[in-house]
Amino acid sequence: MSSQNEKVWSDMQASPEFQDLKRKFRGFAFPLTVAFLVWYFLYIILTAFAREWISTPVVGNINVAFILGLLQFASTFLIMWLYERHSSHSLDGPSDALRDKVDKELSK
């Protein structure tokens, strides 16, 4: 990579627009990741240490553990949908603008 290209990239990464984009991404992704990991490890801990409670039947052969397992899948899809929505509304436009700015600078 040439020194001109390195300068363009480092200038872009130091720009307020890029810093704002990182802040928006991290402000969404990090809390949601922590929340999901807490939820996931809670499920694992319950299956390891609260076997009596999670084996409680709810309807027929369906017990609490089965419902919590299904909720793990549901929460994964919910997170995917929330991230796509956040990305479309808050990240895609600014990142496209930054990409165009970098492309313009690199083509000089």
Side-chain angles (χ1 to χ4, degrees):
M1 187 186 282
S2 73
S3 62
Q4 172 63 22
N5 289 354
E6 288 176 12
K7 179 167 176 20
V8 168
W9 286 108
S10 62
D11 288 349
M12 185 272 302
Q13 289 177 357
S15 72
E17 297 94 350
F18 185 77
Q19 297 303 316
D20 185 52
L21 187 62
K22 274 188 358 183
R23 182 187 54 74
K24 287 179 184 176
F25 170 75
R26 289 179 176 170
F28 181 85
F30 288 174
L32 207 55
T33 300
V34 169
F36 180 77
L37 288 174
V38 167
W39 159 231
Y40 174 74
F41 286 116
L42 175 65
Y43 175 67
I44 299 298
I45 289 168
L46 287 173
T47 59
F49 298 107
R51 289 184 180 256
E52 203 172 298
W53 179 74
I54 63 165
S55 62
T56 304
V58 177
V59 175
N61 288 334
I62 297 174
N63 60 18
V64 173
F66 185 77
I67 292 171
L68 292 176
L70 288 177
L71 287 174
Q72 289 286 320
F73 286 100
S75 63
T76 301
F77 285 104
L78 176 65
I79 289 169
M80 176 195 60
W81 176 76
L82 289 171
Y83 178 75
E84 190 283 325
R85 188 170 175 219
H86 173 72
S87 177
S88 295
H89 290 103
S90 301
L91 304 176
D92 290 350
S95 66
D96 289 345
L98 282 171
R99 184 197 61 227
D100 293 344
K101 184 178 176 181
V102 167
D103 286 346
K104 186 177 177 180
E105 289 295 319
L106 291 175
S107 67
K108 286 182 180 179

